[in-house]
């Protein structure tokens, strides 16, 4: 019995610590976004207001994890990567939702979701589409050449020439890819969550939420003493 209680406490502490760390990173990213948007003059000034937004984002990540076959960590990592590459909160949420639907529908892992987020982030940071990102997205199973050729109304051969000349703007490429995923795979994550593998994943998320909420008061009470 003691061993069981001890293991439960360790699981609760891990869930609480992970959630706390996620909140801090989201708060920092949101504060940076507020400074870049001119809503605050410094990161320190923005941190207070960013805390409220970070809590909302944590709730969104938690709900998306429960309603999909992925764990909170997979979703949080992809979302934070998008934010780190300069996507706004709304853009990062849309991209993350699309990636969750795509990987759910294709049976891919959370690692694939991370690779897609990385490739889209690199496109964003470069300001244009390059061959390296096409290769990354193709390896993740996304027929990016055909998607972009259809979007720009050109052949794949003509698209290759546009890419080599740097004529495919980042924003247009990302929008075309995201829109294609949404049209083809929208809602796939929630459907997959109703399968047994999805249900087991959702139950694990719910267990973490329950343990964290049950033990939060205890952990907050002892935290100052542990710090001392």
């Amino acid at each position: 019995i003691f061993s069981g209680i001890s293991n439960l406490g360790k699981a609760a502490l891990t869930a609480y610590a992970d959630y706390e760390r996620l909140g801090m990173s989201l708060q920092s990213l949101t504060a940076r976004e507020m400074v870049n948007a001119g809503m605050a003059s410094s990161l320190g000034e923005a941190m207070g207001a960013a805390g409220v937004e970070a809590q909302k984002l944590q709730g969104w990540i938690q709900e998306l994890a429960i309603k999909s076959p992925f764990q909170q960590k997979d979703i949080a990592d992809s979302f934070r990567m998008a934010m780190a590459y300069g996507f706004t909160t709304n853009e990062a949420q849309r991209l993350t939702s699309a990636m969750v639907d795509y990987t759910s529908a294709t049976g891919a892992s959370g690692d694939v979701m991370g690779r897609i987020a990385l490739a889209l982030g690199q496109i964003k940071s470069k300001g244009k589409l390059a061959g390296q990102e096409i290769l990354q997205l193709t390896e993740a199973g996304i027929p990016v050449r055909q998607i972009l050729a259809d979007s720009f109304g050109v052949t794949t051969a003509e698209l290759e020439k546009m890419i080599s000349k740097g004529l495919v703007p980042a924003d247009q490429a990302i929008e075309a890819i995201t829109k294609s995923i949404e049209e083809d795979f929208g809602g796939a994550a929630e459907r997959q969550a109703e399968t047994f593998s999805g249900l087991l994943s959702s139950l694990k998320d719910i267990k973490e939420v329950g343990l964290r909420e049950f033990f939060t008061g205890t952990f907050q009470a002892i935290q100052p003493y542990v710090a001392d």
Side-chain angles (χ1 to χ4, degrees):
I1 292 172
F2 178 80
S3 176
I5 294 173
S6 176
N7 289 335
L8 197 66
K10 289 177 182 177
L13 182 57
T14 299
Y16 179 83
D18 289 345
Y19 194 72
E20 186 180 45
R21 188 163 55 250
L22 172 61
M24 292 174 67
S25 65
L26 291 175
Q27 186 176 7
S28 297
L29 289 169
T30 303
R32 188 188 69 175
E33 181 184 3
M34 293 173 70
V35 172
N36 292 339
M39 299 170 64
S41 58
S42 67
L43 198 63
E45 180 186 335
M47 286 297 281
V52 177
E53 294 303 315
Q55 288 181 347
K56 293 178 182 178
L57 289 173
Q58 281 181 287
W60 174 78
I61 290 170
Q62 179 176 286
E63 183 177 357
L64 186 56
I66 292 173
K67 291 183 177 180
S68 74
F70 292 100
Q71 300 297 301
Q72 292 183 56
K73 184 181 183 301
D74 294 322
I75 295 171
D77 287 349
S78 296
F79 176 79
R80 284 184 294 189
M81 185 176 293
M83 287 281 286
Y85 271 104
F87 288 100
T88 66
T89 298
N90 291 335
E91 290 171 341
Q93 285 180 294
R94 183 189 175 196
L95 286 174
T96 303
S97 295
M99 288 186 289
V100 169
D101 279 331
Y102 172 76
T103 47
S104 297
T106 57
S109 65
D111 290 339
V112 171
M113 189 158 50
R115 293 208 301 271
I116 296 172
L118 175 62
L120 295 176
Q122 289 174 335
I123 295 171
K124 176 78 171 177
S125 65
K126 290 178 181 178
K128 62 182 180 180
L129 181 68
Q132 179 185 351
E133 288 74 53
I134 284 187
L135 180 61
Q136 289 175 306
L137 291 169
T138 302
E139 288 176 348
I142 298 177
V144 64
R145 286 184 176 84
Q146 193 60 55
I147 290 173
L148 293 174
D150 292 343
S151 177
F152 285 93
V154 297
T155 65
T156 52
E158 290 172 328
L159 177 70
E160 290 292 347
K161 292 179 181 179
M162 291 172 63
I163 294 170
S164 64
K165 294 178 182 179
L167 299 177
V168 181
D171 291 343
Q172 288 181 251
I174 293 168
E175 174 61 26
I177 295 167
T178 306
K179 185 178 179 180
S180 176
I181 292 174
E182 289 173 335
E183 291 175 349
D184 293 341
F185 304 105
E190 198 159 346
R191 291 192 294 273
Q192 284 290 323
E194 295 177 1
T195 65
F196 263 111
S197 61
L199 290 170
L200 290 173
S201 175
S202 295
L203 287 171
K204 184 175 180 181
D205 288 318
I206 292 170
K207 176 187 174 183
E208 288 184 4
V209 172
L211 285 173
R212 187 182 69 242
E213 291 183 350
F214 185 78
F215 283 96
T216 289
T218 302
F219 293 146
Q220 289 178 342
I222 66 173
Q223 194 166 4
Y225 299 102
V226 176
D228 288 341

